[in-house]
């Protein structure tokens, strides 16, 4: 199950309040037809409110999805061949369980396809439902300032179950990961809370919003959003299709 920008808890609260309103209406009017109509309106409103909105780009604008995904690439975290035929962009959240499930799949994909693929990682912390996601994103950036972004990236995902469930313990755990990576802790702490780091994470997030990202993880392949594969083999087949005959 993917992590959406609208939480299940919010949906249930809306549904509960809606049902209460319907019951009161039925008592007042005792009219089944009115109640059914109200149910339909409320359900439609909830669906509309909880459906992630896709950004649209007018044909008259010079901007395109490709431009959005390429913006800021010079400062993006990338691995693989920068000239590869397959350019994969992942919007992800370190605290998202679905992202944690895709982590070993993406890692295996990168290992198998080698210099035929390039991966760009972008932050999309779902702050409303993942309290420590922003902290984790900033931690990876702070580690990146000391040349250890991918090492912290891997450590956060591989230990996800250990730091995500107790928000107050996340900071201590992440500092421990920084120490285990041999980072300068004073510099790490400074960068963790710096404006530059916060701006970098927010820039990634906003580029995702503009590109229409509504859940994590979201993958783009050669500038087009790809449906999230249900298995490693499905992911591999999608990459092979993008590579063409040479795959």
């Amino acid at each position: 199950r993917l992590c959406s920008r609208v939480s299940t808890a919010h949906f249930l609260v809306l549904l509960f309040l809606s049902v209460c309103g319907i019951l009161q209406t039925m008592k007042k009017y005792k009219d089944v037809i009115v109640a059914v109509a109200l149910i339909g309106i409320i359900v439609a409103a909830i669906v509309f409110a909880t459906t992630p909105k896709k950004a649209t780009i007018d044909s008259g604008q010079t901007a395109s999805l490709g431009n959005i995904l390429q913006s800021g690439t010079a400062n993006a975290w990338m691995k693989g061949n920068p000239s590869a035929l397959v350019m994969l962009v992942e919007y992800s959240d370190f605290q998202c369980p679905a992202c944690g499930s895709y982590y070993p799949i993406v890692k295996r994909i990168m290992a198998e396809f080698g210099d035929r693929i390039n991966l760009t990682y972008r932050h999309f912390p779902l702050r409303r439902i993942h309290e420590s996601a922003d902290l984790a994103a900033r931690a990876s950036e702070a580690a990146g300032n000391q040349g250890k972004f991918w090492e912290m990236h891997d450590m956060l995902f591989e230990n996800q179950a250990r730091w995500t469930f107790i928000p107050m313990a996340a900071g201590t755990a992440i500092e421990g990961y920084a120490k285990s990576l041999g980072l300068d802790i004073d510099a790490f702490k400074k960068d963790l809370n710096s404006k530059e780091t916060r701006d970098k994470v927010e820039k990634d997030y906003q580029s995702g919003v503009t590109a229409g990202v509504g859940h994590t993880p979201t993958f783009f392949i050669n500038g087009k959003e790809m449906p999230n594969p249900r298995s490693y083999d499905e992911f591999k087949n999608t990459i092979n299709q993008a590579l063409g005959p040479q795959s």
Side-chain angles (χ1 to χ4, degrees), residues 142-163:
N145 289 345
Q146 298 186 47
K148 294 290 182 72
F149 171 82
W150 290 108
E151 289 83 349
M152 180 62 82
H153 166 281
D154 292 354
M155 191 163 283
L156 288 168
F157 275 130
E158 289 169 7
N159 295 281
Q160 189 185 68
R162 298 181 181 180
W163 62 268

Side-chain angles (χ1 to χ4, degrees), residues 12 18 35 96 98 121 125 156 158 176 205-206 214 224 241:
L12 291 175
S18 301
C96 165
Y121 182 93
L156 288 168
E158 289 169 7
Y205 180 84
Q206 290 302 328
K224 296 181 180 180
Q241 288 173 13

